[in-house]
Each structure stands twice: as C-alpha cells, then as structure tokens.
Amino acid sequence: MRVSILTKNNSKMKTLIFSFLLSLVLILPTPKAFAIATITIINADSAGEGLNDSTAFTAVVGNRASTLGQARLNAVQHAANLMGSIITSAIDIKVNVEFNSLGGGASSAPLAGAAAAFVDRNFTNAPVTNTWYPIALAEKISGANIATTGGTQEINMIVNVDVDGVFVLGTRKWYYGFDSNPPGTDIDFVTVALHELIHGLGFSSFVDLLTGVKLTSGGIGYDDSFMRLLEHHGATPADYPSMTNTQRIAASVSDTLLHWTGANVSANLAAVTAGKTGTHIHMYAPTTAESGSSVSHFNTTVTPNEMMEPNYTIANHNIGLAVYLLTDIGWGTTNVNRTAIDLQVTQTDSGATINTGANETYNLVVTNNSASTATEVVITNMIPTGSTYISATPGAGSCYQSNNIVTCQLGDMVSSGTINIAIVVTLVAAGTNTNTVFVDSVNPDSAIANNESFENSTVVANDVDLGVSQTNSVAAIDFGSNETYVITVTNNSATDGASSLVLASTLPTGATYVSATGTGWSCSISTPIVTCNLASLALASTSVVTIVATLNISGSNTNTVTINAANNDPVSGNDSSSVITTVNAQTSVATAGSSGCFIATAAYGSPMEDEVRYLRAFRDQYLLKNSAGRWFVQMYYRYSPALATRIKNNDNLRSMVRGLLSPFIKMSRQTVSKNYLDMQK
C-alpha cells in the first residue's frame, strides 16, 4: 500500500510507508540448545536483476561493492548482522530476499515487506499452547530446525527496486551505506531492512484485520504470540484474544486506544514523552484500517520516533522499544546496551602486489577505544569481487561466509581490548582488488569514521606455462558410436597461478555432442566447439575435462583442443593437442553411380524412373562431395531399407511419399547436369 506525506504532531515528517506480506503453514519441531543468532541472506533474484544487478556502483561508507547487486547484498547482510547481535538462537535464521517492482508515486511508495515464512504451534517447549508463533521464534524456543519441513527459509523479504529508478519518489534513492547517514533525502536501506527483519521475527499479528478472524487451522482460529498482548483500552473485554471478531475489528481502528501490555516494553517507557497511557504504549490503529500497517506497528504519536512505526522518518539503526517487544513475545534475553563506545578496525594484507590465482591474507585488528565494554561486536567483511573465500580465523568468537561476505561475531569486547582476525582469499582478477571491513555492535558508536577499513591489493597476471593433452578411449570405433576424450590441463609454472582459463575443443566433423564435465569447469556447446571455463588453476597443478561425442563420419575423425588464460603464456607449443579416432566404414553405404535410393525406388516402382535418377544424380554431384552430405547419405542408408519395404507394399504410403519427394525432385531437376543424367541411362 502507499500513503501520502504525513505530518506528526511533533512536526517531524513521515514520508514512506512500509508494507509486509504474510505466508503461513503449520509444521512440527524437535529440541536443541540455544546459541548466538546467525542470520543469513538467501539471494532469491534472477540473473541480472536485484541482488544480481551488474550496474556499476559508487562506493559509500562501509560498502565498496563494484556492482549495485553486490552493494544490496552487502547492506542487507549488514542489517542481518546487526539484528543477529541483538537476539539469540541456536538455529540459523535464513532470510529469502528479492528486489521486485512495487511501484509508487512522486511522494510516497511502498519500500519493502517482510513476514515469517511459516508459523507453528504446540511445538516442544511452546510457552503457550494453541498459539501461533513465527517460525524463527518457534525454532529458537524449541531448538529445532523446523523450517526444513516446509521450506528452507524462516523469513521472506521483498524490496521495492523502483526506488532506485527514475519515476518513484523523484530524486530520492536507496542509500546502501552502513553509517546511518544518507545524503540529502535518500532512504537508508539498512534502517528499512532492520524494520522488516523485526516483522519477520514476530512483530506482527496474524489476525485478518478486515474480518477480525484469527489464523485458523482445521476451521479453528488460534491466538498468536503478538496479539496476546494487545489491549483495547476501556473496552469489555479489553484483551484482544477474548474479543469477538467484530470487537477485534473495532479495536484495530480505535486510534490511540489500542495498547501493548507486555511487561518488558512497559518497564522501559521512561524516555517516551507521548504516545503512551500509563505503562502502556499506543499501537498503530488508524480509524481507517491500513492493511499491512495497522496493529503491527507502534503508533505514529509515539515520541521520540520509534523504528517500528509504520512510516520511514530518518536513518536509525537503533531498534528502540522493539527489542523489549521481542522479549515480550518470547525471544527471552536480548542484548541491549545504549552506552556509547568507540570501535575501530584496521587491516593489512600479506602482499600489496600478488599474482593471479595466489592467496591473499587480510589481517584485521578490531579495537575498543572506549572506557566501556562493547556488547556483541560484529564485523561485516566484503571480500574482493571475483575472489574465492578460503578461511577466516578470529581470535575470539566465530566467522562464516555467505554471498562473498564474511561475518564474524566476536562477542563482548572490554575497554581497550583487541581481537585479531585473519581472512584468506584467492585473488583471480588482475587489477585492483579491494577488501572492505566494517565493525559494529549493539552499542551506539561515537566515532563512526574509524569503523571502516579497506585495503587494496594489486593483482598482476604473470607469465605461466599452460599445457594441454588429451587421450581418446579407443583408437578405432564403429560408425555412430561414442568417443570419450579425456583432456588434461596443466599449469607448468612453479611460481604463478593461472586465472580465467578457457578450453576450446573442436569436435570432429559431423560429430554429435553428448557431454562435457570437469571439477570446477563450466562448459557449453556451440557446434562444433565445446567451450569450458575455469576460474583459476594453482601453480604446478592439473585439472581434467572429459568430453563425450558421437562420431558419425567414417574414416579419420580429429578432435582438437586449445587452452588459454588471462595470463601471458610465452610457451605456446603445448597450448593445443589433437587426437585421431578411426571410424569403421558403415556397410550398405552408396557410392557414386550406385543405386540404393531405397525410399524413392519404392515410391516410384523402379530405380530407372526419371524421378529416382534425378535424386541419385543430386546425391552423386552434391551430397557425396562434402562431409556433411556424406554424413546425411550414411544416415539415409542406415535407416531407409526398413522404411522402403513398408512403402513398397502400401499404395497409400507410396502416394504420400511421392508428394513429399516432389519438391526435392524439382530442386534436383534445376541443379543436376543433364549430361550426367543421360550417362546414368
């Protein structure tokens, strides 16, 4: 949905509305222990769009991606890392993210939407029976990876790609930096992503706001973990679960009378100066219901502004009272620390200039420069574009890699504490390769400038000596049989790796491609050439490609293969290889002047009919004089005798075949030499 620009009673502007979508299913769990939360992004976009958009990207604070798609991935993973440092769960939380066109106007637009991918009830350790819980929360409580029963992800998120276009919101665009400081009126993507992740974790009700009906299973409506703590102030009954459907509809449009009664939010309202009644904060319940916004947000009257209000106001990476609401619905202990600290990260590389295919080690040092402990420190490290991740070794905590992003959860850092991290990657692209790291924590940071570090490595494509050889499975095979070519590529260099390898195999004339396989190789066919690509080949190592083809031409069949790479190869003598397979001649294959036009003879009754002689002459003067034509003739004489027998004994088939042959006979009459035809008599 969309709204126009709104003005709050404290004169702060509310500009853009969030929307969210719900997808629900019932599934069952098994128990496990708790741990720090890991939130991983699943790229759900197709090639060339959204998270895979190859448009060039201009670096911003914390995000030095070379493409727009990778910049989006970096930003949404950074938001996931921030959220993961606040909550705890033993089960990895997977978020399916895609950028779609959601439209919008010049002054308002939907920004994004997210919700739990599934819900569950009555799982192991469920706090309240017969109550729906979002799947990520159900998994946290039960300790079981329930989502694998009905799907792999716990949260679905959709982002409006039109915000990066030219028609929606005028000049305002997504800002993909990590510093919560977008230029001008641009929209901070990390703020929006955090907002949507919180919805997916359970900050939303599953009640149908148009009908007041609870989410049902088997015809029975059940409470959900969010709506249990809603109150229609002054109404009877006041609690949302006990109301009739009609009463829930009324509560959802009761303006400032819909309240949150959870104990943890209520205990932390001291700083709230408006938008509360006693110890109850007001929820969003406009007198005209707004699908996707009503009920499942804090009220717009709340002051100071909260991240979980329905409209985007300013960049804000502090999730505010939402952390206490998550505790109220069942997330338990969350990490909260509003003491300002000063984190710093620096890095060095193992070699400013290295060769393609070589490993680079980035040595990171994270320091807490403040006098206070930093809570749940996390780094988001974006390895160079096109590089291959090898490992990450932290001095504390743990690291994992996804989508070319290394996340390290380092735990708490005491005052003046330091943690070292070594990240190893293989650099394969010649030129400047940039490794970027950003450090953050639950605490606000008083000096954001030193939270980012980037290191440039210069990669040079040094000379290598690539060699290629091949063997065939047999030296001689029967016509129409498969031949297997085993091709070995060797990097003979003792000092340098090779990058961007391209192997090209030219199949024998008339051969039919069957398959091409090899570890790490990506192969395709554009007849007659099979092309295979390999990102890199380490020094003094080999790699094998196996190609299978059907050989359809009698005699010598030659397969030729070549190898090259991004590196210069001064030794060219071993860059190609050829192997010959002898294909045994097929029996019953016509020679020039012979008869053998089985189908035509059967159709016209005699090998001396003019029509048959013209076809035979066309065979002799044209088809038998080139390899493709000879292959066609061989196929014809392989399969036509059996067909000719059926045609000869069926008048209807003879008539039909004569009609089919008519255009070929006409072409033969126009091309065949009359002297040759007379000679056949």
Side-chain angles (χ1 to χ4, degrees):
M1 64 176 295
R2 55 177 64 85
V3 295
S4 301
I5 294 179
L6 303 175
T7 304
K8 190 177 174 181
N9 57 7
N10 63 359
S11 299
K12 293 185 178 180
M13 300 300 289
K14 301 284 194 174
T15 54
L16 305 168
I17 188 149
F18 296 92
S19 64
F20 68 97
L21 310 172
L22 300 178
S23 175
L24 310 169
V25 71
L26 178 64
I27 39 191
L28 298 174
T30 52
K32 204 175 179 180
F34 295 96
I36 295 298
T38 296
I39 304 178
T40 304
I41 302 304
I42 300 174
N43 181 349
D45 280 320
S46 301
E49 66 175 20
L51 298 173
N52 301 310
D53 193 324
S54 60
T55 302
F57 178 74
T58 302
V60 291
V61 176
N63 196 343
R64 296 179 179 273
S66 60
T67 67
L68 179 58
Q70 187 63 51
R72 290 165 172 164
L73 266 172
N74 294 347
V76 72
Q77 184 63 63
H78 180 63
N81 292 345
L82 293 177
M83 197 67 235
S85 67
I86 295 172
I87 60 174
T88 61
S89 177
I91 308 302
D92 290 355
I93 300 169
K94 296 168 290 297
V95 185
N96 210 63
V97 178
E98 58 183 317
F99 276 65
N100 287 338
S101 176
L102 303 179
S107 60
S108 66
L111 294 181
F118 312 102
V119 297
D120 197 12
R121 60 184 174 86
N122 297 336
F123 47 86
T124 301
N125 301 323
V128 184
T129 59
N130 294 325
T131 299
W132 296 117
Y133 287 79
I135 194 63
L137 178 53
E139 290 181 336
K140 179 259 188 334
I141 295 171
S142 68
N145 192 355
I146 306 171
T148 56
T149 303
T152 59
Q153 76 274 17
E154 283 74 19
I155 297 173
N156 291 321
M157 182 188 298
I158 299 175
V159 181
N160 192 354
V161 72
D162 295 330
V163 176
D164 277 330
V166 296
F167 300 110
V168 172
L169 301 180
T171 59
R172 305 182 73 180
K173 298 290 179 276
W174 285 119
Y175 174 67
Y176 296 106
F178 296 178
D179 59 341
S180 187
N181 187 29
T185 59
D186 282 357
I187 303 153
D188 187 61
F189 180 84
V190 173
T191 297
V192 175
L194 281 168
H195 178 111
E196 298 303 338
L197 287 170
I198 293 168
H199 277 313
L201 294 171
F203 198 123
S204 61
S205 174
F206 305 125
V207 172
D208 186 330
L209 298 183
L210 295 179
T211 64
V213 175
K214 301 175 184 179
L215 180 64
T216 62
S217 176
I220 301 174
Y222 295 98
D223 296 345
D224 62 62
S225 55
F226 183 87
M227 59 97 80
R228 290 182 59 254
L229 298 173
L230 293 173
E231 171 199 79
H232 185 178
H233 189 71
T236 303
D239 66 296
Y240 211 68
S242 298
M243 297 176 185
T244 64
N245 294 342
T246 301
Q247 289 169 334
R248 268 189 293 276
I249 294 173
S252 301
V253 292
S254 61
D255 198 10
T256 60
L257 297 179
L258 184 66
H259 297 171
W260 183 262
T261 64
N264 287 279
V265 172
S266 295
N268 288 279
L269 296 182
V272 176
T273 59
K276 66 178 180 179
T277 299
T279 59
H280 292 171
I281 194 168
H282 298 169
M283 303 304 288
Y284 188 58
T287 54
T288 300
E290 296 177 6
S291 176
S293 293
S294 292
V295 179
S296 297
H297 291 92
F298 291 131
N299 201 293
T300 56
T301 60
V302 174
T303 305
N305 284 346
E306 281 291 320
M307 174 185 284
M308 292 309 293
E309 295 181 30
N311 308 309
Y312 176 88
T313 53
I314 58 173
N316 177 19
H317 296 180
N318 172 17
I319 74 169
L321 293 172
V323 68
Y324 303 113
L325 187 144
L326 292 177
T327 299
D328 282 336
I329 65 173
W331 279 95
T333 302
T334 49
N335 299 310
V336 181
N337 189 340
R338 300 314 300 162
T339 302
I341 47 86
D342 175 22
L343 291 176
Q344 173 183 320
V345 63
T346 59
Q347 64 174 312
T348 57
D349 56 20
S350 55
T353 301
I354 65 172
N355 299 324
T356 53
N359 286 351
E360 177 75 285
T361 300
Y362 296 103
N363 296 297
L364 316 182
V365 180
V366 179
T367 305
N368 180 4
N369 294 324
S370 61
S372 302
T373 296
T375 300
E376 291 302 330
V377 176
V378 60
I379 70 158
T380 305
N381 188 100
M382 292 136 284
I383 64 177
T385 301
S387 62
T388 303
Y389 170 77
I390 302 298
S391 65
T393 307
S398 61
C399 300
Y400 67 94
Q401 184 271 152
S402 177
N403 299 312
N404 291 325
I405 304 165
V406 180
T407 298
C408 293
Q409 297 168 320
L410 306 179
D412 295 349
M413 284 188 68
V414 298
S415 172
S416 302
T418 62
I419 296 176
N420 297 315
I421 307 161
I423 296 177
V424 182
V425 300
T426 302
L427 300 181
V428 298
T432 301
N433 286 243
T434 303
N435 186 72
T436 305
V437 59
F438 194 89
V439 64
D440 218 324
S441 71
V442 170
N443 307 65
D445 200 300
S446 59
I448 205 73
N450 60 359
N451 287 48
E452 177 192 24
S453 172
F454 62 93
E455 185 75 13
N456 291 328
S457 301
T458 301
V459 180
V460 294
N462 279 6
D463 291 351
V464 296
D465 175 19
L466 290 178
V468 63
S469 61
Q470 63 174 318
T471 59
N472 50 357
S473 55
V474 288
I477 62 174
D478 291 334
F479 176 91
S481 299
N482 285 353
E483 176 67 288
T484 300
Y485 301 103
V486 179
I487 302 164
T488 302
V489 178
T490 303
N491 181 1
N492 297 306
S493 173
T495 58
D496 300 305
S499 64
S500 302
L501 287 77
V502 180
L503 181 146
S505 178
T506 303
L507 299 178
T509 301
T512 303
Y513 169 78
V514 177
S515 65
T517 57
T519 302
W521 292 88
S522 174
C523 299
S524 61
I525 175 68
S526 178
T527 305
I529 299 175
V530 180
T531 302
C532 297
N533 299 92
L534 181 67
S536 62
L537 185 61
L539 53 90
S541 61
T542 61
S543 186
V544 175
V545 176
T546 301
I547 296 176
V548 180
T550 304
L551 303 187
N552 303 309
I553 301 294
S554 299
S556 295
N557 284 245
T558 302
N559 188 71
T560 300
V561 62
T562 61
I563 186 67
N564 61 71
N567 311 69
N568 179 48
D569 188 346
V571 183
S572 59
N574 57 356
D575 293 346
S576 65
S577 172
S578 296
V579 66
I580 297 174
T581 301
T582 300
V583 177
N584 299 324
Q586 184 187 14
T587 58
S588 301
V589 175
T591 58
S594 69
S595 180
C597 288
F598 302 110
I599 291 176
T601 300
Y604 288 98
S606 169
M608 296 310 295
E609 291 291 335
D610 281 352
E611 291 83 357
V612 179
R613 290 193 300 115
Y614 269 109
L615 290 173
R616 191 162 56 240
F618 182 78
R619 175 201 67 190
D620 295 345
Q621 286 198 312
Y622 292 95
L623 296 182
L624 292 179
K625 293 184 178 181
N626 63 81
S627 58
R630 287 193 295 273
W631 175 82
F632 173 80
V633 172
Q634 288 174 330
M635 293 297 101
Y636 175 81
Y637 286 109
R638 185 175 188 177
Y639 298 108
S640 65
L643 294 173
T645 300
R646 295 187 60 188
I647 294 168
K648 181 179 179 180
N649 298 318
N650 188 311
D651 289 340
N652 290 332
L653 282 177
R654 290 177 63 196
S655 177
M656 182 179 68
V657 171
R658 285 197 296 268
L660 293 173
L661 291 175
S662 178
F664 298 100
I665 294 168
K666 183 177 180 180
M667 178 181 66
S668 299
R669 288 180 184 275
Q670 295 174 346
T671 57
V672 168
S673 165
K674 186 67 166 58
N675 291 335
Y676 187 87
L677 191 70
D678 291 340
M679 184 178 65
Q680 283 196 348
K681 292 182 179 180

